[in-house]
Amino acid sequence: MAQNFYKDTPVQDLPGVKAWCVPILEDEGIETAHDLLHQFPSKYIDRSRMYKIKEINGASQYIQVSGKITHMAITGTGRGQRLTAKFFDGESYMDLVWFQAIDYIVRTYHENVTYIVFGKPTIFGNKVQLAHPEIDTPTSIMKKKVMGVQQSHYSIPEKMKRKKFTSATMRSIIVEELEGTVKRNPIPENLPQYLVDGLKLMSNHDALVNIHLPGNDRLLAEAKYRLKFEELFYLQLKAQRAYKRNKGFVGNVFNTIGDIFNTFYSKHLPFPLTGAQKRVIKEIYNDCRSGKQMNRLLQGDVGSGKTLVATMCMLIALDNGYQACLMVPTEILANQHFETIYQQLSPLGINVALLTGSTKQATRKKLLPMLASGEINIVIGTHALLEDSVKFKRLGLAIIDEQHRFGVAQRAKLQAKNALPPHVLVMTATPIPRTLAMTMYGDLEVSTIDEMPPGRKPVMTYHQFDTNRYQVYDFLKREIAKGRQVYIVYPLIDENEKLDYQSLMSGYEQLLHVFPKPQYNISMVHGRMKAAEKDSQMQDFASGRSQILVATTVIEVGVNVPNASVMLIESAERFGLSQLHQLRGRVGRGADQSYCVLMTDTEISKTIQTRMDIMVGSTNGFDIAEWDLRLRGEGDIEGTQQSGTALKMKIADLSTDTQILHRAHDAAVKIIEADPELNAPANAILFEELEERAKAEENWGNIS
Ligand code: ADP
Ligand code: MG
C-alpha cells in the first residue's frame, strides 16, 4: 500500500486537535487526518457580506454586523437575569442579549472596541435583537476564516455535544488542519488522473479544501460535485466488479424441466400463474441452465406472488437432482412458508423440512443428517440455515426472501454451502427506486414481477385521527361480522422501547373491552414473546379462530392471511412510507375489498400530513418508494440500514444526485469492461481504494 500521509497521521498528532478532543474523535471512529477531512459539512452559513442594522428585517437569516458596544446593563435576578448591550454600527442601534454566562461576557467584551457580531436576529417592532451572538474582533475573525465566505457547519452527534464538542470545535480543528498541514502536504489524488481529466473533475486536494473553506460559490459547487461523484463512483465500481465476477462463476447446469415441475404445474398449481410470474420463472430457468452461476434479484410489490415463483424454481432444482433452500428473516415467516410449501409439495412425495432457531435439538439431530445425505429435498428456515452444522449433499439453489433484511455476508455464506456455488435468487418486496437499486444491488441481474394476480382490488386507504377511534372500531366490527379478519399494528420499532411496549399493552387491554369474549377472540404477537407462543397466536389467527391480530412490526414482512381485510395502523406517523406500504400489503390478498386505516394524532406536522396523503393516494410500491426517498433521504429508507450494505452516504444524496450517479455508473462500467480486475497500472489506485473501502466497511459491520 502506498504511503499516504493523511491516512498515516493520527488525530492526536495534529496541532489543531486539543488533548481533550482526541478520545471524543476516536470514539466516533475519526482516527486520522484523513478521517477529519472527510467529515463533510452538513450546511453552510452565508457570511459573504457585512450587514447594516437598518437592512435587517424579519426575513433575515444569519447576519453579521461590524460596530461597537456602547452600553451594557444587567436586569432581573436569578434565573430571570439577563444582560443587554447596545450595539452601534455607526448609523443605528440593535440589542445584544445574553441569558447565560453573563459574568464572562461582562469581563471579556468592552465598550468602544470594534467587534463583528454574528447570529440569527429576532425583530420586536422595529427593534433588532441578537441573542447569544458570536463575537469576534477583526483579528480573531481572520483566524477563523469565516469572513466573506460560506461558513461550513457540521452536524455533531448528541453524544459529542454533551462533551462540549460542537460544530465550532469541529470547524476550528479542520480549519487549522487546512491552514497548516494541508498547506505543507498536498492531499494526494484518489481517482486515476485520466478520470479526473476526462470528466473535468476538481482535484481531490482542491475539493477537500473547498468543501470546508469555500473560496467562492462556484468552487464550492465543483468541490461538492467531485466528492459526490467519487463516493458514488466507488460504490458503482465495487458493484460492477462483483457483477462481472459473478457472471464468470461456473454454475450447476439445470438442463431439464422434468416430472416434478410438470406434475406440479399441471395437477397441483393452486391458480394459473400470472404472465409476470411465468416470465420471471423463464428468466430464472435460463440463468440456471446457462452453465454460469445465477445471481438474481426478484423484485415484486407486496402480494405479487413471489413465493409461488420461489417454489416452482426449487422444483426445477429438484428435477435436476439438486436440493434447494429458502431462507427468510423471521420465524413467523419461516413457519408460514413451510406450511404453504409443505402442503403443496408433500403430495408429490417431496421431502420438505423446517429449520429455525427454535427447532428442538432432537429434531435437529435427525434433520441435519438427512440434509447431508440428500434425503431432504427442500429446507425452509431462518438464519439458522447459515450455521456451519447445516450441510447439504447437493445444494443447487438458494433463495433468500425479503433480502432487504439480510446483508451481503449472509448471501455469501449460503453460497459457500456447496462445492460449486448454488444459484442464488434473492427476493424483495421493498420496492426500491432505480437509483437505489443500482447502488445496492448493482452486482445482481434483476427480474421484476410487474403484475398483480387477477381480481385484486386496490386496498382502500383512510387517514383517521385518534378522536375517531370509536367509529373506526365500529367499522372493524362490521367487517368482522362479514366473516373478515383484522390486523391492528402498534409501533414497536425497538423491542426494548419501554413506552412503546406499554402502549401496545394498554392498547390490547382497551381492545379486550371493545371486542369482548366470547363474541370476539384477539390474538397478539410481539417480539418479546417466545417463538412457540408467537407461533400459536399466529396459528389462531391464520386458522380463523381469532378475528383480530394485535401485532408489532414482526408481521411486517411476508405474513399471508388472505381472509384478513383490514389493516389498522396505530401511530402511523411513526412508520416510514415503505414500511406502511409493507404493512398494508398484508391485506388485499384475496378477492374481497380490503381497507387500511392510518391512525394518527390530531396534531401532526405538515410532513406527516403529506406522508399520509401519499399513502391514501397511491398503492404503487415503487411510487411510494420514490416518495420515501425524496421525503426522508436514502439514509432512512428501510432496509438500507439493516441490510449491512450500509448505504449511509457521506455526501451524495441518492434522491437528488441521480445525474451524478448515472455518470459514476457509466464510468465504472467502462473501466470494468476494459479491465475487470483493475490490473492496469493506471487503475492501481482504484484497486487500492476498493480494498481500503472494503476494510472500512467491515469495521463498521462489526460495530453495528
Ligand atoms: P409476495 O410477493 O408479497 O411474497 P405472496 O407470494 O405471499 O406475495 O402471494 C400473495 C398472495 O397471492 C398469496 O395468497 C398467494 O397464494 C396469492 N397468489 C400468488 N400467485 C397467484 C396467482 N397467480 N393467482 C392468484 N393468486 C396468487
Ligand atoms: Mg413474500
Side-chain angles (χ1 to χ4, degrees), residues 271-274 277 301-308 453-454 456 560 562 589:
F271 16 62
L273 297 177
T274 63
Q277 284 172 319
D301 210 340
V302 273
S304 61
K306 293 184 292 296
T307 320
L308 189 55
R456 293 275 173 85
N560 185 35
R589 305 193 141 228

Side-chain angles (χ1 to χ4, degrees), residues 110-122:
H110 308 285
E111 292 174 16
N112 287 318
V113 179
T114 300
Y115 293 118
I116 294 138
V117 296
F118 170 78
K120 221 176 188 166
T122 26

Side-chain angles (χ1 to χ4, degrees), residues 588-606:
R589 305 193 141 228
D592 296 302
Q593 179 61 58
S594 295
Y595 306 89
C596 174
V597 183
L598 306 169
M599 193 91 95
T600 70
D601 253 0
T602 25
E603 294 196 7
I604 51 175
S605 69
K606 246 192 168 148

Side-chain angles (χ1 to χ4, degrees), residues 307 401-402 558:
T307 320
D401 196 13
E402 313 292 351

